[in-house]
Amino acid sequence: PRLYLLITVGSVYIQSHEEGFDRVLDDLIEMLKTVQNPLRGLFVRYYFLKTCKDRLPDKGSEFETEKKTVKDAIEIILSNLQETNRLWIRLQSGRDKLRTEKERKELRMLVG
């Protein structure tokens, strides 16, 4: 719950354009790496993308700075996708196959 709250507050902070808002995105990404449970990690990464997708630096957007450019936004999205794939594979391996497939189907329906 704390990480979800931090993502929400960080998103609002980025939108406020206060000093240091570009570092908040980096801190949130680092915090996402601390989630150990693959199922929780998938949900929190999905929530992060849903919440911050409008606040990523884009060409000509208000969130593009000298420090944060479109390349950084692409890097954020790709690294998030890589970690999501790793978590998905971890969710698949190491447990009962029938139970894992059931959880993956439920997760697929929830996240989309």
Side-chain angles (χ1 to χ4, degrees), residues 7 22 30 33 40 42 47 63 70 79 91 102 109:
I7 291 170
D22 50 348
E30 288 300 316
K33 294 178 183 177
R40 290 181 182 155
L42 287 170
Y47 181 74
F63 301 106
V70 177
S79 68
L91 184 66
K102 181 182 174 190
M109 287 174 24

Side-chain angles (χ1 to χ4, degrees), residues 32-98:
L32 288 175
K33 294 178 183 177
T34 63
V35 179
Q36 297 294 316
N37 187 317
L39 193 60
R40 290 181 182 155
L42 287 170
F43 274 108
V44 77
R45 287 182 175 281
Y46 174 75
Y47 181 74
F48 169 74
L49 279 181
K50 283 298 222 182
T51 307
C52 295
K53 70 179 177 183
D54 298 335
R55 291 153 183 88
L56 293 175
D58 195 8
K59 193 96 172 161
S61 81
E62 58 186 306
F63 301 106
E64 184 180 31
T65 64
E66 295 171 358
K67 296 177 185 176
K68 293 287 182 190
T69 61
V70 177
K71 289 182 181 181
D72 294 319
I74 292 171
E75 184 179 315
I76 289 168
I77 293 170
L78 287 178
S79 68
N80 194 44
L81 180 64
Q82 285 177 338
E83 288 297 319
T84 302
N85 283 336
R86 287 186 187 131
L87 291 170
W88 190 259
I89 290 170
R90 275 185 53 202
L91 184 66
Q92 178 183 357
S93 64
R95 295 199 295 171
D96 182 26
K97 182 116 174 136
L98 212 56

